[in-house]
Amino acid sequence: MVTLLLDSAQLEVVLSPIERALSFRSAGVRVDRSAIVKVQLTDDAWTWLRGVPSPGTHVRGILAMGTWKSSGGADFVVVQRHRPAVVIDLDPSVGVGAEFERLVLTTRHGVALVQALQLEAETEAADVVDIVAPHSAARPRRARAPKVAPATP
């Protein structure tokens, strides 16, 4: 799964070596933070794919990685099986060399990304989970009342 790094200026999608090979990219994707228009969480990223892989890898229902081109533009996709994902809509006119209109990424950290985008980020890039951790208050767990067996006469 991709790693999401965020700082005050940009969001970076860090790809593993296998993800780079399957998506035909030599490096991850960097997006200006100001270019992020909307972030949506989804349980089925497959419904968000549009266009055809160009270049990219597609094994139906198992994985989709790379650039998906359609008449509307280009999306960057890293989807693995039917896992939770995040869909990030971008404004292509913002940022130098903005190449994508949307990012569709399978990640367990979608909620952390949404929360991290609402916080003031550090100048140094950090994982979105690490950014959110100090700000989330751990709720104490309530102790369950012991079950009492009915009295027998």
Side-chain angles (χ1 to χ4, degrees), residues 6-49:
L6 184 68
D7 64 20
S8 60
Q10 67 184 4
L11 169 67
E12 181 178 359
V13 180
V14 180
L15 303 172
S16 69
I18 292 171
E19 291 167 339
R20 285 195 312 265
L22 293 173
S23 64
F24 295 92
R25 291 189 64 89
S26 59
V29 176
R30 292 179 185 213
V31 176
D32 283 348
R33 192 172 174 161
S34 60
I36 298 173
V37 176
K38 181 170 43 172
V39 179
Q40 301 174 70
L41 303 176
T42 182
D43 287 331
D44 189 9
W46 295 96
T47 61
W48 291 90
L49 297 183

